[in-house]
Amino acid sequence: MIAEGLALFHGRRVLVLDLDSQGMLSRMMMSQVALDAAASERRTAMDLVRGYIAGQQGALPYYIVPRVSDIAELRNARDGRRVDLVPSHPQSLNEYRLTDTALRTHFGGQRADQELAKVMQPDFQRLTEYYDVILFDCAAGISPTSLAALRLSSIVLSPTMLERNSINALVDFLRIVIESDVGVKDAITRPIYVLMTMFMRSNPAQQLLLDTIQRGIPGLNAIPAPISHSTAIQRAVLHPGEGAARMVHEKYGSSIGELQQLASSIDIVLGTAQRARALPDTRPGHLLAG
């Protein structure tokens, strides 16, 4: 929704990297046929990371699958707006563990996530000439690839369900990883934003949590409007199949207003980051880790 909303309503050129081993995002954005083809051609995010381990740099564009959105207005856009993807294939589940081990072995006594971020940064810096936004979809937890994405990112966005355990887990992550891990804390100086999802307005417990978050939690900034738990959104995330395209109102239906509101909120966050880059910063701009 973030990638498509920014491209559709704000003319952004968006690149998404799916660093989650389950590949759920990739299955939402690509047909199974196209995803299988990317895996057979070794054009997945894990292939990219393995390339970095092998000392391969400058080849990042090879792994990018162009114009993956099935929204017809984006496929046919003539003004540059687009959503491209470096996908993850579900068959990579076991490879993620092997890759994490290989990263730690390759970089020896050094922090694997820190060294990986250093290796990746020049490629992503070059890509900012072609993309307005680069969005990392990270797996839960503290794998080297997820931490490297945090180091590279100017903005951290955490989609979080509105229930107590999820909020507590997010706060614990911030306390343990961001505050206690000095290396990561020094690398992340931008605000952390929380995006509330699966919201049911009729649920009083969720409404109470939403009010609490919107009033403010130390270290967090809330994206104003939550994303509802709706049938329209559940339908939108199901890919229609190879070669299929649909108009945005066909894909998102009654949730199109939420899509537009979300895109506008994130665009404001990007604008804030743009102004903040007047301060010294070695990271490419408009990188988000989700």
Side-chain angles (χ1 to χ4, degrees), residues 3-4 7-8 67 69 71-77 81-83:
E4 290 183 332
L8 191 66
R67 297 192 181 277
S69 175
I71 295 178
E73 292 95 325
L74 290 179
R75 285 197 180 180
N76 302 325
R81 69 186 68 197
R82 59 193 298 136
V83 178

Side-chain angles (χ1 to χ4, degrees), residues 49-206:
V49 173
R50 281 195 295 270
Y52 284 124
I53 295 174
Q56 180 187 56
Q57 289 183 284
L60 178 53
Y62 168 76
Y63 299 91
I64 297 173
V65 181
R67 297 192 181 277
V68 292
S69 175
D70 62 294
I71 295 178
E73 292 95 325
L74 290 179
R75 285 197 180 180
N76 302 325
R78 304 288 185 182
D79 58 359
R81 69 186 68 197
R82 59 193 298 136
V83 178
D84 297 347
L85 174 70
V86 177
S88 177
H89 195 284
Q91 73 182 22
S92 300
L93 275 168
N94 289 328
E95 296 179 26
Y96 270 76
R97 287 192 291 271
L98 295 174
T99 301
D100 283 354
T101 301
L103 281 167
R104 294 185 174 94
T105 302
H106 177 73
F107 292 117
Q110 304 297 318
R111 283 196 57 133
D113 57 292
Q114 187 173 23
E115 296 304 309
L116 178 60
K118 288 179 182 177
V119 172
M120 295 171 70
Q121 185 171 16
D123 280 354
F124 286 98
Q125 184 70 61
R126 284 189 287 270
L127 282 182
T128 57
E129 298 179 19
Y130 306 101
Y131 293 101
D132 304 305
V133 180
I134 299 174
L135 200 160
F136 297 99
D137 180 35
C138 300
I142 52 173
S143 70
T145 49
S146 292
L147 290 177
L150 286 174
R151 291 181 178 278
L152 287 168
S153 296
S154 303
I155 301 163
V156 179
L157 178 68
S158 178
T160 303
M161 290 181 62
L162 272 168
E163 53 98 10
R164 181 63 63 182
N165 287 338
S166 295
I167 301 299
N168 288 342
L170 174 59
V171 172
D172 286 344
F173 176 82
L174 295 174
R175 177 175 55 83
I176 295 169
V177 176
I178 306 301
E179 292 182 10
S180 301
D181 189 327
V182 176
V184 176
K185 181 181 179 181
D186 287 348
I188 301 173
T189 58
R190 295 287 181 261
I192 298 171
Y193 293 86
V194 58
L195 172 63
M196 290 75 73
T197 65
M198 306 290 284
F199 177 59
M200 292 180 285
R201 196 167 299 278
S202 60
N203 185 322
Q206 284 198 340

